[in-house]
Amino acid sequence: MMIKGVFAWDGEHWLFDPEDRFGFRATWKVNRVLAKADSDFQEVAVIETEGFGKALVLDGVVQTTEKDGFIYNEMITHIPLAAHPKPADVCIIGGGDGGAAREALKYPVQSVDMVEIDPKVVEFSRRYLPEVAGDGEPDPRLRFVYEDGTRFVKKRAQAYDVIVVDSSDPVGPAAVLFEKPFYQDAKQVLKEGGILVCQSESPIFHPDVLKRVHHTLGELFPVVRTYLAAIPTYPGGVWSFTLASLGPDPLQSDGHRLVMNENRYVNRDIWESCFRLPQYVKELLD
Amino acid sequence: MMIKGVFAWDGEHWLFDPEDRFGFRATWKVNRVLAKADSDFQEVAVIETEGFGKALVLDGVVQTTEKDGFIYNEMITHIPLAAHPKPADVCIIGGGDGGAAREALKYPVQSVDMVEIDPKVVEFSRRYLPEVAGDGEPDPRLRFVYEDGTRFVKKRAQAYDVIVVDSSDPVGPAAVLFEKPFYQDAKQVLKEGGILVCQSESPIFHPDVLKRVHHTLGELFPVVRTYLAAIPTYPGGVWSFTLASLGPDPLQSDGHRLVMNENRYVNRDIWESCFRLPQYVKELLD
């Protein structure tokens, strides 16, 4: 069974990152393809890699792996949830692998709505990637909504304390999640003092995306903070997230609300350091 | 002209990272090989990559690039130099590309001795990589010593305030620079209150190396601090440095001695954040 991006080479199979705008591609040795399907939106696959364990791959692009998925999933959820004084209702747009939902449910929230456009991503992640998605009983606070995130946010108002935009890259089905109309609608869905966070790509490989997201959110929200994490499987290793808030400013908090429950990346030190940016990122955002 | 690690593929040339212990390899599109020579120690080459500009490559391993060499070079020099209250005499072991020396000379030091085993690395870097090495007049405070670093440190005593061990990976000529005998000799070469810093590899791909370096230095020095930076071209993106001190503790300083002179990575925010480690790195070092 072959999937997009995998090439045979010297009797081995390697998945090549399609990122070639900069003539730089990461490659993973693939032991086997565990599952593959063409959904209405993309090619969805779960593979077993030599070094990173199992991985979810969409249209040939690695989304999350057993070995380092925790970094992304902890960073995109713990930071906004701990920044909010009392996050009761949470919405995750995308995040079909279930990792962000798992982290969000560590907080004393009332509900987590997971709005994923592609049911196949959720199905495969739950069946083949319990290491990321979790394998316990489904948490009664978690609700799955299979819908386009941009449509979902048009139909509600002031429903959530925190919205996590856990999207893939701004190509294909996720592109609209990086545009102003979506952010405007998402803002209306936030309750008073609500917080939105999104992954805003690599400051090295996609500085234009980060700059645009930061700027656009700055037109809509009084508080906008970009933070970074080092994620080995994403191109360039360093990844950005941008938090936009209608009220609380994470820089005014000492992170005492962070839940430490089997965290492997996020702790108080990460809270204190992740908003502190290298000079080249500061200059990019100024 | 071909060099180690470069393969032709679909009419293009790509350099493959030899890191395959984890079935993960970074690859760079190579436009051309600018220079190549077999020195007494290794294959030394300077290539022009599609996305990272020119790069120094030793035995097929990318050492530094025009695009992101500044991150490594600023982190390995500014942190120890700003941690020391008055760094007068500095020794760089390795660092033949000249980037660390360039950064060290931004400080009001009296002398920088650069001890590089391979003159070919220095020659090629100065001739083909002025973007990293600098292209101004040679600074009279800088002295080149072409010698094995392990031998060099045996012949002196209490000569330096800061020693920067800017080595390649712990294979080939640099392997001994990760061993206790070298650290013991290096300690003797430090003046009172002196500081040694070394690159200690990736916490993701070489956790054993980082753990051993941290532990070994802890047996010899009263203060040992590991810090991190996100460096796109190194495998895994996140890289560690370990600072060992006979006196000053960087955690007791606010970084006010950092020199900001065209820095592109290091600033006060990086000073405040680089010693704050993610949970998985803390657990590795505990």
Side-chain angles (χ1 to χ4, degrees):
Chain A
M1 187 157 49
M2 285 291 262
I3 65 166
K4 284 182 193 171
V6 171
F7 297 89
W9 190 36
D10 255 2
E12 299 175 346
H13 287 90
W14 288 75
L15 173 66
F16 278 66
D17 195 320
E19 172 66 62
D20 56 359
R21 214 162 28 127
F22 290 86
F24 181 82
R25 308 173 86 169
T27 69
W28 288 263
K29 188 174 169 191
V30 179
N31 292 338
R32 59 197 179 117
V33 177
L34 298 170
K36 175 201 154 174
D38 287 307
S39 76
D40 290 343
F41 306 96
Q42 53 208 339
E43 182 193 87
V44 181
V46 177
I47 63 174
E48 185 187 283
T49 66
E50 171 83 7
F52 284 78
K54 287 188 270 180
L56 173 69
V57 182
L58 302 180
D59 276 341
V61 182
V62 173
Q63 302 296 319
T64 192
T65 77
E66 233 183 296
K67 188 180 172 84
D68 76 345
F70 69 94
I71 304 177
Y72 178 91
N73 288 323
E74 291 183 18
M75 286 302 277
I76 203 165
T77 50
H78 286 261
I79 303 298
L81 282 160
H84 195 288
K86 199 168 173 2
D89 298 297
V90 176
C91 176
I92 298 170
I93 308 278
D97 61 60
R102 185 189 202 176
E103 294 304 318
L105 290 164
K106 290 182 177 175
Y107 284 75
V109 298
Q110 283 170 15
S111 74
V112 174
D113 286 353
M114 210 179 94
V115 184
E116 165 63 53
I117 198 170
D118 193 341
K120 191 55 83 180
V121 173
V122 176
E123 180 203 327
F124 272 22
S125 299
R126 296 181 74 167
R127 195 190 310 174
Y128 299 104
L129 266 176
E131 300 79 2
V132 171
D135 55 3
E137 281 294 301
D139 190 303
R141 296 172 295 167
L142 178 60
R143 185 170 71 108
F144 291 93
V145 182
Y146 297 109
E147 190 174 348
D148 180 331
T150 60
R151 253 189 254 165
F152 181 82
V153 294
K154 278 188 198 302
K155 298 186 306 196
R156 275 166 185 70
Q158 302 200 327
Y160 299 107
D161 300 294
V162 174
I163 298 178
V164 174
V165 188
D166 178 7
S167 72
S168 44
D169 296 327
V171 289
V176 287
L177 299 177
F178 289 78
E179 301 297 334
K180 192 168 183 178
F182 168 69
Y183 295 141
Q184 280 169 320
D185 293 334
K187 184 183 171 185
Q188 303 306 320
V189 187
L190 284 174
K191 289 193 258 184
E192 200 183 327
I195 291 175
L196 174 144
V197 72
C198 60
Q199 70 93 347
S200 43
E201 303 281 303
S202 159
I204 290 274
F205 284 104
H206 325 94
D208 47 326
V209 176
L210 168 56
K211 203 171 167 171
R212 187 158 46 80
V213 166
H214 188 92
H215 181 75
T216 307
L217 288 170
E219 291 172 355
L220 299 170
F221 290 83
V223 177
V224 177
R225 304 291 178 203
T226 288
Y227 59 97
L228 301 178
I231 304 179
T233 56
Y234 290 173
V238 56
W239 210 253
S240 77
F241 303 85
T242 300
L243 180 153
S245 169
L246 294 172
D249 182 350
L251 299 191
Q252 305 300 323
S253 160
D254 64 359
H256 67 276
R257 287 187 297 262
L258 277 178
V259 170
M260 292 297 294
N261 176 355
E262 300 186 350
N263 297 9
R264 293 163 63 201
Y265 193 83
V266 169
N267 54 29
R268 290 288 278 276
D269 280 302
I270 289 298
W271 176 272
E272 292 285 349
S273 62
C274 69
F275 295 99
R276 297 177 178 267
L277 307 176
Q279 199 59 20
Y280 77 96
V281 179
K282 269 184 200 263
E283 287 169 8
L284 179 71
L285 299 180
D286 276 352
Chain B
M1 185 157 52
M2 284 293 261
I3 65 166
K4 284 183 192 171
V6 171
F7 297 89
W9 190 36
D10 256 1
E12 299 175 346
H13 286 89
W14 288 76
L15 173 65
F16 278 66
D17 195 319
E19 172 66 62
D20 55 2
R21 212 162 28 126
F22 290 87
F24 180 82
R25 309 173 84 169
T27 68
W28 288 263
K29 188 174 169 193
V30 179
N31 292 337
R32 58 196 179 118
V33 177
L34 298 170
K36 175 201 155 176
D38 288 307
S39 76
D40 291 344
F41 307 97
Q42 53 206 341
E43 182 193 87
V44 182
V46 177
I47 63 174
E48 186 187 283
T49 67
E50 172 82 7
F52 284 79
K54 288 189 269 179
L56 173 69
V57 182
L58 302 180
D59 276 340
V61 182
V62 172
Q63 303 294 316
T64 193
T65 76
E66 234 183 295
K67 188 179 172 89
D68 77 344
F70 69 94
I71 304 177
Y72 177 92
N73 288 322
E74 291 183 18
M75 286 302 278
I76 203 167
T77 50
H78 285 260
I79 303 298
L81 281 161
H84 195 289
K86 202 172 174 353
D89 299 297
V90 176
C91 176
I92 298 170
I93 308 278
D97 62 60
R102 186 189 202 177
E103 295 304 318
L105 290 163
K106 290 181 177 174
Y107 285 75
V109 299
Q110 284 170 15
S111 74
V112 174
D113 286 352
M114 210 180 93
V115 183
E116 165 62 54
I117 199 170
D118 194 340
K120 191 55 83 180
V121 173
V122 175
E123 180 202 327
F124 272 21
S125 299
R126 296 181 75 169
R127 197 191 308 176
Y128 299 103
L129 266 177
E131 299 79 3
V132 171
D135 56 1
E137 281 294 300
D139 190 303
R141 296 172 295 168
L142 178 61
R143 185 169 72 108
F144 291 95
V145 181
Y146 297 109
E147 191 175 347
D148 180 332
T150 59
R151 253 188 254 165
F152 181 82
V153 293
K154 278 188 197 304
K155 297 186 307 195
R156 275 166 185 69
Q158 302 201 326
Y160 298 107
D161 300 294
V162 174
I163 298 177
V164 174
V165 187
D166 178 7
S167 72
S168 45
D169 295 328
V171 288
V176 287
L177 299 177
F178 290 78
E179 300 297 333
K180 192 166 184 179
F182 168 69
Y183 294 141
Q184 281 170 320
D185 293 335
K187 183 182 171 186
Q188 303 305 319
V189 187
L190 284 175
K191 290 193 258 184
E192 201 183 325
I195 291 175
L196 175 144
V197 72
C198 60
Q199 70 92 346
S200 42
E201 304 281 303
S202 160
I204 290 274
F205 284 104
H206 326 93
D208 48 326
V209 175
L210 168 55
K211 203 171 168 173
R212 186 158 46 81
V213 166
H214 188 92
H215 181 76
T216 308
L217 288 171
E219 292 174 352
L220 299 170
F221 289 82
V223 177
V224 176
R225 305 289 179 204
T226 288
Y227 59 98
L228 301 179
I231 305 179
T233 56
Y234 291 174
V238 55
W239 210 253
S240 77
F241 303 86
T242 300
L243 180 154
S245 170
L246 293 172
D249 182 351
L251 299 191
Q252 304 300 322
S253 161
D254 64 359
H256 67 277
R257 287 187 297 261
L258 277 179
V259 170
M260 292 297 293
N261 175 356
E262 299 185 349
N263 298 8
R264 294 162 64 201
Y265 193 84
V266 170
N267 54 29
R268 291 286 279 275
D269 280 301
I270 290 298
W271 176 272
E272 292 285 351
S273 62
C274 69
F275 294 100
R276 296 176 178 269
L277 307 176
Q279 199 60 18
Y280 77 97
V281 179
K282 270 184 200 263
E283 286 169 10
L284 179 70
L285 298 181
D286 276 352

